[in-house]
Amino acid sequence: MKILEAKITEEIKGLKGRIGLVIEIGEEQIQVNGLDVFQSASLIKIPILIEALRRCEDGKMSESDPVPIGKEAIVGGSGVLQTLSPNALLTVKDLMTLMIIVSDNTATNLLIDLLGMNVINRFMRQFGLTRTELNRKMMDFQAIEQGRDNYTSPLDIVQCLKWMTEGTVLSKDSQLIALEIMRNQQFKDKLPAQMDHNQVLVANKTGELPKVEHDCAVIQYGAKTAFVSVLMDQLEDLHAGKQTLNKMGKHIYDYLVD
């Protein structure tokens, strides 16, 4: 693990920007600015997914509940729902899946409406995500101008990832659903880019904004599991940030499979 830490440290040495990261494998952890607060970008969709699964467990809604996609709900940015015919009908499970695997902003906003922003924030506070806040919907630029944004930290994101494989926040069935959704991620050009996916199972979620590049992942090889979150902002060069994520992912992969 010391060798891995040295390699990670070397990769971030010349990065022109701010970085926070947590890599947890077994009882060992590498941490750089793990408590720092960053704009969450699309990483905020992970705690939304967890709370949606909790609500389904409680019987307050069902994964199979139909949700109409009204024209007024459509927003731009990432995702596919904006290209569908108005008044399409999807299920709650469909929305959860699209929110993660193609980072669909419309699906995310519909889930926020179903769950309630205050309820999502209460869940995060109740379970110790003290540096994570949902203060606006996706693509709400007016909220950003008014100083309302979404935030998280590397440690909070790793905690969310761990709930997908252990603990009592989610049932075993919900843990499996969360991991299955994350493993179907379509955006694999950051941490997983240089990994052999025939060797490891990767469940990841990316995020990006101007000068921001994030990725987080559960990486499993046999009995070994790595929980990884890397958040970057103030980047002068987004491509350099993505390359750094590629290299860090490869180092973690090599550590697991060697």
Side-chain angles (χ1 to χ4, degrees):
M1 197 72 166
K2 290 291 183 185
I3 295 172
L4 175 60
E5 186 170 10
K7 290 180 178 178
I8 297 297
T9 301
E10 188 64 29
E11 294 299 347
I12 65 178
K13 215 178 253 183
L15 187 71
K16 294 180 179 178
R18 183 174 68 124
I19 186 167
L21 66 89
V22 176
I23 303 166
E24 190 169 312
I25 304 172
E27 299 298 316
E28 297 184 283
Q29 189 184 84
I30 299 168
Q31 185 180 149
V32 177
N33 303 323
L35 292 172
D36 279 14
V37 175
F38 293 76
Q39 285 178 286
S40 65
S42 286
L43 296 193
I44 197 67
K45 296 169 184 178
I46 297 175
I48 295 172
L49 170 66
I50 293 170
E51 176 59 3
L53 288 167
R54 276 170 33 86
R55 290 285 284 277
C56 291
E57 287 178 20
D58 292 343
K60 294 173 182 173
M61 66 182 190
S62 168
E63 294 168 27
S64 60
D65 283 348
V67 182
I69 316 300
K71 188 176 181 181
E72 71 284 352
I74 300 296
V75 295
S78 57
V80 297
L81 290 184
Q82 58 190 293
T83 67
L84 299 184
S85 302
N87 302 313
L89 196 65
L90 297 178
T91 66
V92 168
K93 175 75 176 293
D94 292 333
L95 296 181
M96 290 191 288
T97 301
L98 290 170
M99 174 177 70
I100 297 298
I101 71 170
V102 290
S103 208
D104 196 292
N105 289 323
T106 299
T108 306
N109 287 351
L110 287 164
L111 284 170
I112 291 171
D113 286 341
L114 284 170
L115 298 168
M117 192 176 293
N118 290 337
V119 171
I120 296 167
N121 282 315
R122 187 163 62 243
F123 148 69
M124 294 190 293
R125 289 192 299 270
Q126 178 184 351
F127 287 94
L129 304 181
T130 57
R131 291 168 176 80
T132 304
E133 295 179 7
L134 174 66
N135 295 310
R136 66 169 178 86
K137 287 185 175 182
M138 306 304 108
M139 304 303 288
D140 187 348
F141 299 115
Q142 186 176 357
I144 296 174
E145 289 172 5
Q146 294 170 353
R148 290 184 288 115
D149 208 344
N150 303 325
Y151 300 98
T152 194
S153 72
L155 270 170
D156 277 6
I157 292 298
V158 158
Q159 182 58 73
C160 288
L161 298 178
K162 290 172 72 176
W163 287 336
M164 295 181 184
T165 65
E166 61 191 45
T168 58
V169 172
L170 291 175
S171 69
K172 292 295 183 184
D173 286 346
S174 291
Q175 289 173 20
L176 291 172
I177 292 168
L179 276 178
E180 179 190 17
I181 289 173
M182 293 269 285
R183 284 176 185 153
N184 285 318
Q185 174 61 245
Q186 301 297 294
F187 303 138
K188 297 184 177 181
D189 59 340
K190 295 184 184 180
L191 285 171
Q194 297 183 32
M195 297 180 188
D196 182 349
H197 293 270
N198 293 316
Q199 293 291 318
V200 293
L201 290 173
V202 182
N204 77 297
K205 179 73 191 79
T206 63
E208 49 270 327
L209 286 169
K211 299 187 177 182
V212 169
E213 288 284 359
H214 300 333
D215 200 3
C216 67
V218 180
I219 308 160
Q220 295 171 305
Y221 176 75
K224 301 178 188 175
T225 301
F227 302 98
V228 184
S229 67
V230 184
L231 283 68
M232 302 176 179
D233 65 8
Q234 303 171 26
L235 291 170
E236 294 183 14
D237 183 345
L238 288 174
H239 180 65
K242 191 173 286 189
Q243 283 189 314
T244 300
L245 283 163
N246 293 170
K247 292 173 184 175
M248 286 194 290
K250 182 61 162 60
H251 291 316
I252 296 164
Y253 168 84
D254 290 341
Y255 175 84
L256 289 173
V257 302
D258 280 355

